[in-house]
Amino acid sequence: MMSDAEFQRWTRLVTVQQDLVTPIRTILDYLEILCDDVRRLALPDVLEHLDKATAAARCLDEIVGRLLDSDGPLDMDAQREFGGSQAKLRHELRTPLNAIIGYGELALEDLPPAPAAEKLRPELEKLLGEARRLIACINALGKFGTGAEPGADDPAQTVIADLFRTLHPDRPETRGCEVGRILVVDDNEANRDLLRRRLLQEGHQVELAQSGRQALQMLEKEEFDLILLDLIMPGMNGIEVLERLKSDQRLYQVPVVMISGLSETDAVIRCIEAGAEDYLPKPFNLVLLRARINACLERRRWRGREQEYLAKLKIAKDRSEALLRNILPDPIVLRLNEGETIIADRFEQATILFADIVDFTPAAAKMAPAHLVGELAEIFSAFDDLALRLGVEKIKTIGDAYMAATGLPSPRADHVEVMAEFALGALDVLGSINRDGGTDYRIRIGIHTGPVVAGIIGRHKFIYDVWGDTVNIASRLESHGAPNRIQVSEPVRNALAHRYEFEPQGALTLKGRGQACAFLLVPRQHVRC
């Protein structure tokens, strides 16, 4: 590992290199564009100057490219030789740079006065501007390697200090190390043993596999946080193992770091494309190995947290949706989830039922609150179960009254028959409750069929409700009915006459509706609820 002094020196070296590389690449790009334009305009004298400037720029690029070499002039001992080496370097850099500026100025002077050639003048001036700025960067090399602390008024030195602070390997916040269970897959026994020792020293749990097939067998039974996978193995190579892992729904999220003696770019690209998290060439740089394992394990830990968070979100969403489905029909919940905000529909054929417990109000006055709620809950819960079995839509309870509908929110052709079955079933259910509980509850039921409007009403405590004359008439039929009898309108009787028997009740005077014929549905023993 580099010492502080070595790391700081390396940081400054990289920064200086970047300061030089960027303008040189800009100069080369300008020259390439200018040469193309000059060839197109057939200006041989200008092209000759630009070709020489391009050669000088390439020479300059090669010199800078050697800056980070171990034997490069900037990497010498700062205390002993750096000053002299730096002076030599500045001389080497200035020579081709002066050539670029000189040939650029000659090209500018030789531009013919033609309008097309004049368009090249701004580009040539940009080229010369970049070259002159590069001279300032070369002069700044005088501060490199002096050991002086960065000055607050020196932007270049401040950048170096920031980079040093960010990249320094001994920063306290980077000392923490993720540990995990790691599977090492390598056909070479020495490599496996070496990796195992290194990883154990870092605190990891380590398992070894000597082939891809053995690794896949182990992964079927055990869980790992990370796989170090050799690329070249007999029988099944690393890419084939990797493809198997990434096609397995249980294993595809386990990070895989490929390890190989191959350092060719094509091999790296192939592994990354196949789903590898990273690629480490052999022999390993231990610092790099530790950093990449740490990064992979940290990413896996965050993925795990993300999965836990998403699972909790799903549970909360499912609970919320289940609660919503308790108060709204499923199709309405679906429309709300899809973003529909105003839900109001007209149904030309729907059937409405009202059921009211006879004399419940005076009886309730003598009950304790818990007993009252318990009695209503038992009756209406039984009605709810019956409605669910038959596909009847419970609309709401109003005190001791129960309102239901059929034919909405999804239209159905048998809406009248289904409601009749529900009414008959409600009488049977109430009879069972009375027999089991020793009570004597009785209900009046009214049913009417016709057009209605249904929709969501309210903003916070909303409800799916139904409106229209059909609702009002069904309510009036119930209030004018008899205990434990089902009173229906003439349209209901007509729709069910083929299946049920009815007792005529003559014309009733319904409040707000005038005269209307009513009938009592006769229960039949063979009717099943």
Side-chain angles (χ1 to χ4, degrees):
M1 181 179 293
M2 286 186 281
S3 65
D4 280 4
E6 290 171 333
F7 189 79
Q8 188 165 6
R9 179 176 172 72
W10 173 83
T11 307
R12 293 186 179 200
L13 184 60
V14 171
T15 306
V16 170
Q17 188 204 37
Q18 179 172 294
D19 287 346
L20 297 178
V21 167
T22 301
I24 292 173
R25 297 292 159 78
T26 303
I27 288 170
L28 282 167
D29 288 344
Y30 274 131
L31 282 168
E32 184 179 353
I33 294 170
L34 281 165
C35 287
D36 289 343
D37 290 341
V38 168
R39 287 192 194 92
R40 181 172 49 80
L41 295 173
L43 303 173
D45 293 341
V46 177
L47 181 60
E48 183 179 356
H49 298 319
L50 293 180
D51 282 342
K52 291 178 179 177
T54 300
R58 287 172 179 158
C59 177
L60 189 62
D61 189 40
E62 290 175 3
I63 295 172
V64 172
R66 295 197 302 268
L67 284 178
L68 278 182
D69 290 350
S70 58
D71 298 329
L74 279 182
D75 203 30
M76 296 179 180
D77 187 323
Q79 299 300 320
R80 293 184 293 105
E81 301 183 36
F82 192 77
S85 300
Q86 185 175 289
K88 182 181 177 183
L89 173 66
R90 284 201 300 273
H91 173 74
E92 287 185 9
L93 292 172
R94 280 174 177 160
T95 299
L97 191 54
N98 286 333
I100 294 170
I101 294 173
Y103 285 119
E105 290 173 343
L106 287 173
L108 198 60
E109 292 171 4
D110 287 349
L111 279 179
E118 278 299 313
K119 290 182 180 178
L120 300 179
R121 189 175 296 278
E123 300 298 320
L124 278 167
E125 289 172 347
K126 289 179 183 176
L127 168 69
L128 292 171
E130 287 297 325
R132 287 163 185 149
R133 273 192 288 276
L134 186 53
I135 288 180
C137 292
I138 293 173
N139 291 335
L141 289 175
K143 299 179 180 179
F144 183 81
T146 61
E149 291 298 324
D153 57 345
D154 188 337
Q157 294 298 305
T158 301
V159 169
I160 292 172
D162 289 344
L163 188 60
F164 175 76
R165 186 174 56 254
T166 305
L167 296 180
H168 196 289
D170 287 338
R171 284 189 310 147
E173 59 268 32
T174 63
R175 287 175 182 167
C177 181
E178 294 283 339
V179 293
R181 193 158 189 264
I182 300 176
L183 176 62
V184 175
V185 188
D186 196 318
D187 63 313
N188 185 291
E189 183 178 359
N191 285 343
R192 291 198 303 273
D193 183 61
L194 180 62
L195 270 173
R196 183 181 66 83
R197 290 169 181 269
R198 294 292 188 193
L199 295 173
L200 288 175
Q201 287 177 346
E202 300 290 332
H204 302 289
Q205 297 179 39
V206 186
E207 297 293 337
L208 304 176
Q210 60 184 359
S211 70
R213 297 190 189 283
Q214 184 185 7
L216 292 174
Q217 291 170 356
M218 294 175 68
L219 286 162
E220 287 180 0
K221 304 173 184 174
E222 304 176 58
E223 292 190 355
F224 294 91
D225 299 310
L226 174 66
I227 301 171
L228 296 180
L229 179 60
D230 190 20
L231 178 60
I232 302 174
M233 295 184 292
M236 177 180 281
N237 64 45
I239 292 287
E240 292 171 321
V241 176
L242 182 61
E243 289 175 341
R244 290 276 295 273
L245 295 175
K246 296 306 171 183
S247 64
D248 189 317
Q249 190 172 5
R250 188 177 68 85
L251 300 173
Y252 82 98
Q253 285 195 334
V254 179
V256 178
V257 175
M258 302 300 293
I259 51 179
S260 174
L262 287 178
S263 58
E264 284 76 6
T265 303
D266 287 348
V268 178
I269 292 173
R270 181 71 186 91
C271 291
I272 298 300
E273 287 178 341
E277 199 85 7
D278 214 329
Y279 189 100
L280 275 174
K282 296 177 183 177
F284 303 115
N285 178 307
L286 294 180
V287 175
L288 197 57
L289 175 67
R290 181 187 300 119
R292 290 184 173 174
I293 288 177
N294 203 39
C296 284
L297 292 176
E298 186 172 6
R299 281 197 293 271
R300 179 166 173 75
R301 179 168 61 84
W302 280 106
R303 280 195 203 113
R305 288 188 176 182
E306 182 184 41
Q307 293 300 319
E308 290 177 9
Y309 178 69
L310 290 174
K312 289 179 180 177
L313 275 183
K314 185 177 185 309
I315 291 172
K317 181 175 180 295
D318 290 346
R319 285 178 179 167
S320 174
E321 192 152 304
L323 183 62
L324 201 57
R325 289 180 189 278
N326 279 337
I327 59 175
L328 296 176
D330 286 356
I332 299 301
V333 173
L334 182 62
R335 289 166 66 179
L336 287 173
N337 286 340
E338 289 176 348
E340 200 169 342
T341 55
I342 299 176
I343 296 178
D345 304 305
R346 180 177 177 82
F347 299 88
E348 296 299 334
Q349 297 294 329
T351 301
I352 305 298
L353 172 145
F354 278 90
D356 186 77
I357 302 177
V358 179
D359 297 330
F360 187 80
T361 301
K366 303 175 184 176
M367 295 181 189
H371 182 62
L372 183 151
V373 173
E375 294 290 285
L376 280 179
E378 182 180 10
I379 296 171
F380 289 161
S381 294
F383 289 1
D384 287 348
D385 291 341
L386 180 65
L388 188 63
R389 287 205 306 274
L390 294 174
V392 172
E393 197 62 53
K394 172 189 174 182
I395 302 300
K396 58 186 173 184
T397 59
I398 312 162
D400 56 357
Y402 191 94
M403 178 183 177
T406 51
L408 59 86
S410 301
R412 55 187 298 175
D414 60 349
H415 56 97
V416 185
E417 293 183 8
V418 171
M419 191 58 87
E421 296 284 345
F422 176 75
L424 293 167
L427 291 178
D428 290 342
V429 164
L430 188 62
S432 298
I433 291 174
N434 286 332
R435 283 193 298 276
D436 295 341
T439 53
D440 187 27
Y441 291 118
R442 297 173 297 165
I443 56 172
R444 293 189 303 267
I445 298 176
I447 304 176
H448 182 50
T449 186
V452 297
V453 172
I456 295 290
I457 193 79
R459 180 169 297 175
H460 301 297
K461 296 180 179 178
F462 45 74
I463 183 175
Y464 183 69
D465 211 341
V466 186
W467 301 273
D469 279 349
T470 302
V471 176
N472 296 331
I473 291 172
S475 177
R476 300 287 188 273
L477 288 167
E478 175 274 312
S479 60
H480 287 75
N484 286 346
R485 300 306 300 269
I486 303 166
Q487 184 153 261
V488 305
S489 63
E490 189 171 14
V492 172
R493 193 285 307 266
N494 294 340
L496 300 177
H498 67 288
R499 181 170 177 181
Y500 299 91
E501 294 181 0
F502 293 89
E503 297 175 8
Q505 295 296 294
L508 299 179
T509 301
L510 303 180
K511 183 181 177 182
R513 299 299 306 166
Q515 296 277 309
C517 292
F519 302 84
L520 293 177
L521 176 59
V522 178
R524 295 187 305 190
Q525 293 300 320
H526 67 275
V527 173
R528 297 178 60 186
C529 297

